[in-house]
């Protein structure tokens, strides 16, 4: 019985509200990934058409190297933030974000200096690209850190706006780079526009990154950070080894061909690259509120991505050659031969990311690390073994087979983790 003016909330109403909240956050996540995907796609297409196959291969090597550095930053700084500070009180979140973003900025400065020195030492056609990458790494990593922070707070709209700012700043920067006509110019344009978005993220959050807090952050979260570091570097490091190995076995132009094929799957590659921005945070919320639904949530998450990738790949197979040439220029004829294996690889990876999000939410770092090391080893063996056997096409098929096998490993580990889990809440790590 209730008195006049009181309102009751039924379990069904609460469940409906929770579902709407999840859909809202995921919608902003999809919008953000669409913005990120579009900017990455435009950059790749613009560089491919402006520079040609070999120079595009050099740009792709710099891009892959950035992916490794980004993985280091995420493992140490932002993955622990999403796992432990999604949906926590604002004061706790702000303190954590200051230290997490400061850690990302510190990683960018340290590894940027290494890349700058290496680029100056190597010289030639490749060196300037890596030297410029070293200059822009701090801005790139800080921009990514803000995205993680906003999704952890459940304010994906801000992450979307930040990516839109990056895209807008990218337009004039790309025009200037095209006039210069070098790989180094395009790297500076891409990273410089990210720095603009990083500065805007500081304005959005009102939080100053505390590089001095990096040591405290790393100490407080070393149980997750160390494993996530190895896991993330396993992902990007495998891609880097495959790219470098493919360049050595087949030639630098082959790296550009593979990158061109991946660009055709750009929307899904971008989603996979930044998946933990949304899914880990949402999986952690599902685990706190309805732990029995975590497995279904992860299955739906991975299944939708896999089906979407397959549908997109089927559409690419029907695309006329003239449209492909319009998009990729000289890269299209060779890249079009890789559509089927690259699509299968992306679909397999999409299915596996559902399980990966579940393991991250469970803080089952040991199991996720084991899964990633196995998957990365298969990736390198498949990519390089296929290249040695049948060139660029063989490498693509080897990677596709390895990715599907890796996805199976992820799901087996998630099933075991769900069976072992005890019904106790996730401990929240607060900073003071």
């Amino acid at each position: 019985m209730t008195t006049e003016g009181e309102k009751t909330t039924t379990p069904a109403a609460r469940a409906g509200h929770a579902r709407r909240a999840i859909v809202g956050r995921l919608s902003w996540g999809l919008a953000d990934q669409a913005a990120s995907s579009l900017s990455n796609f435009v950059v790749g297409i613009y560089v491919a058409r402006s520079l040609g196959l070999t120079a595009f291969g050099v740009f792709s090597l710099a891009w892959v190297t950035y992916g490794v550095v980004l993985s280091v930053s995420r493992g140490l700084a932002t993955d622990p933030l999403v796992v432990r500070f999604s949906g926590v009180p604002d004061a706790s979140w702000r303190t954590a974000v200051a230290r997490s973003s400061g850690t990302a900025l510190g990683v960018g400065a340290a590894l940027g200096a290494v890349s700058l020195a290496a680029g100056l030492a190597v010289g030639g056609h490749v060196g300037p690209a890596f030297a410029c990458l070293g200059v822009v790494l701090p801005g790139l990593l800080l921009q990514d850190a803000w995205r993680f922070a906003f999704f952890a707070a459940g304010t994906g709209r801000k992450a979307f706006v930040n990516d839109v700012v990056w895209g807008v700043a990218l337009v004039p920067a790309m025009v200037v780079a095209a006039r210069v006509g070098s790989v180094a110019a395009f790297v500076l344009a891409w990273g410089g526009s990210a720095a603009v978005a990083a500065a805007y993220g500081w304005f959005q959050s009102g939080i100053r990154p505390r590089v001095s807090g990096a040591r405290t952050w790393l100490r407080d979260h070393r149980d997750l950070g160390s494993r996530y570091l190895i896991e993330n570097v396993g992902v990007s490091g495998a891609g880097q080894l495959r790219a470098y190995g493919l360049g050595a076995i087949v030639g630098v132009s082959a790296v550009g061909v593979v990158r061109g094929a991946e660009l055709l799957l750009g929307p899904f590659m971008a989603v996979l690259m930044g998946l933990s921005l949304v899914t880990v945070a949402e999986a952690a919320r599902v685990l706190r509120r309805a732990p029995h639904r975590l497995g279904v949530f992860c299955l739906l998450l991975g299944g939708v991505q896999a089906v979407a990738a397959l549908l997109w790949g089927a559409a690419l197979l029907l695309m006329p050659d003239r449209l492909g040439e319009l998009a990729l220029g000289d890269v299209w004829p060779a890249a079009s031969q890789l559509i089927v294996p690259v699509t299968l690889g992306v679909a397999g990876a999409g299915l596996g990311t559902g399980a990966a999000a579940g393991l991250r939410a469970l803080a089952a770092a040991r199991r996720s690390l084991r899964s990633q090391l196995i998957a990365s080893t298969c990736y390198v063996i498949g990519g390089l073994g296929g290249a040695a056997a049948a060139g660029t096409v063989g490498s693509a098929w080897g990677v596709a087979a390895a990715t599907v096998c890796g996805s199976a490993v992820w799901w087996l580990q998630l099933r075991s983790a769900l069976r072992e889990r005890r019904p106790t809440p996730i401990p929240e790590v607060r900073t003071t």
Side-chain angles (χ1 to χ4, degrees):
M1 181 176 180
T2 60
T3 59
E4 185 178 355
E6 289 183 336
K7 294 182 180 180
T8 60
T9 304
T10 65
R14 289 195 296 269
H17 177 74
R19 284 193 295 269
R20 287 192 296 272
I22 291 175
V23 170
R25 289 190 294 267
L26 287 176
S27 297
W28 280 116
L30 291 174
D32 174 72
Q33 291 303 332
S36 176
S37 158
L38 180 61
S39 63
N40 288 338
F41 180 76
V42 169
V43 169
I45 294 297
Y46 201 70
V47 175
R49 290 186 58 82
S50 300
L51 298 181
L53 189 55
T54 301
F56 182 58
V58 175
F59 181 84
S60 299
L61 289 177
W63 185 287
V64 170
T65 303
Y66 156 70
V68 176
V69 178
L70 182 65
S71 296
V72 173
S73 175
R74 288 182 174 180
L76 294 177
T78 49
D79 282 343
L81 175 75
V82 172
V83 171
R84 286 180 166 159
F85 294 91
S86 292
V88 300
D90 184 68
S92 180
W93 173 81
R94 293 182 68 85
T95 303
V97 168
R99 293 175 178 174
S100 174
S101 59
T103 302
L105 191 58
V107 170
L111 296 185
V114 173
S115 180
L116 175 61
L120 294 176
V122 170
H125 295 291
V126 177
F130 280 84
C132 292
L133 177 64
V135 173
V136 300
L137 274 176
L140 284 165
L141 298 191
L142 182 58
Q143 192 274 339
D144 186 71
W146 291 130
R147 298 172 70 208
F148 270 79
F150 294 141
F151 279 112
T155 55
R157 178 181 58 84
K158 291 184 178 181
F160 169 75
V161 172
N162 193 273
D163 267 326
V164 169
V165 169
W166 185 3
V168 171
L170 194 59
V171 174
M174 285 287 115
V175 172
V176 173
R179 291 182 178 179
V180 177
S182 67
V183 177
F186 277 105
V187 172
L188 286 176
W190 165 56
S193 55
V196 173
Y200 183 67
W202 186 349
F203 170 78
Q204 285 177 294
S205 64
I207 299 172
R208 180 174 61 86
R210 292 178 54 193
V211 178
S212 59
R215 179 177 299 179
T216 301
W217 179 262
L218 294 174
R219 184 188 67 241
D220 290 345
H221 305 283
R222 62 180 179 273
D223 57 328
L224 294 183
S226 59
R227 289 192 173 98
Y228 288 162
L229 171 64
I230 299 173
E231 181 182 329
N232 289 355
V233 172
V235 179
S236 55
Q240 189 176 31
L241 287 175
R242 187 247 184 144
Y244 288 173
L246 184 62
I249 295 171
V250 184
V252 175
S253 60
V255 181
V257 172
V258 171
R259 176 61 184 158
E262 291 175 346
L263 278 174
L264 297 174
L265 274 294
F268 304 100
M269 297 299 291
V271 168
L272 292 177
M273 186 177 180
L275 188 64
S276 57
L277 292 173
V278 184
T279 56
V280 175
E282 291 305 321
R285 289 186 176 94
V286 170
L287 183 61
R288 285 189 174 95
R289 297 170 183 173
H292 60 285
R293 296 179 181 173
L294 180 62
V296 175
F297 174 82
C298 294
L299 183 60
L300 288 173
L301 182 67
V304 167
Q305 287 186 92
V307 171
L310 292 174
L311 291 175
W312 184 267
L316 290 175
L317 290 174
L318 301 176
M319 186 171 67
D321 286 339
R322 60 185 182 83
L323 291 181
E325 292 171 355
L326 180 64
L328 294 179
D330 295 338
V331 180
W332 167 254
S336 62
Q337 300 177 28
L338 308 184
I339 290 176
V340 173
V342 170
T343 297
L344 293 176
V346 173
L351 185 61
T353 51
L359 287 174
R360 286 286 178 93
L362 289 165
R366 184 174 299 175
R367 286 192 176 277
S368 62
L369 174 59
R370 184 184 306 150
S371 301
Q372 190 56 65
L373 291 178
I374 294 173
S376 296
T377 301
C378 292
Y379 183 94
V380 173
I381 293 174
L384 297 186
T392 307
V393 175
S395 179
W397 278 107
V399 165
T403 304
V404 173
C405 292
S407 178
V409 172
W410 279 105
W411 279 103
L412 289 172
Q413 290 295 321
L414 177 61
R415 185 179 66 173
S416 298
L418 289 172
R419 288 177 175 177
E420 293 174 354
R421 182 180 179 273
R422 296 179 180 178
T424 54
I426 302 176
E428 177 187 326
V429 178
R430 296 173 179 267
T431 57
T432 57

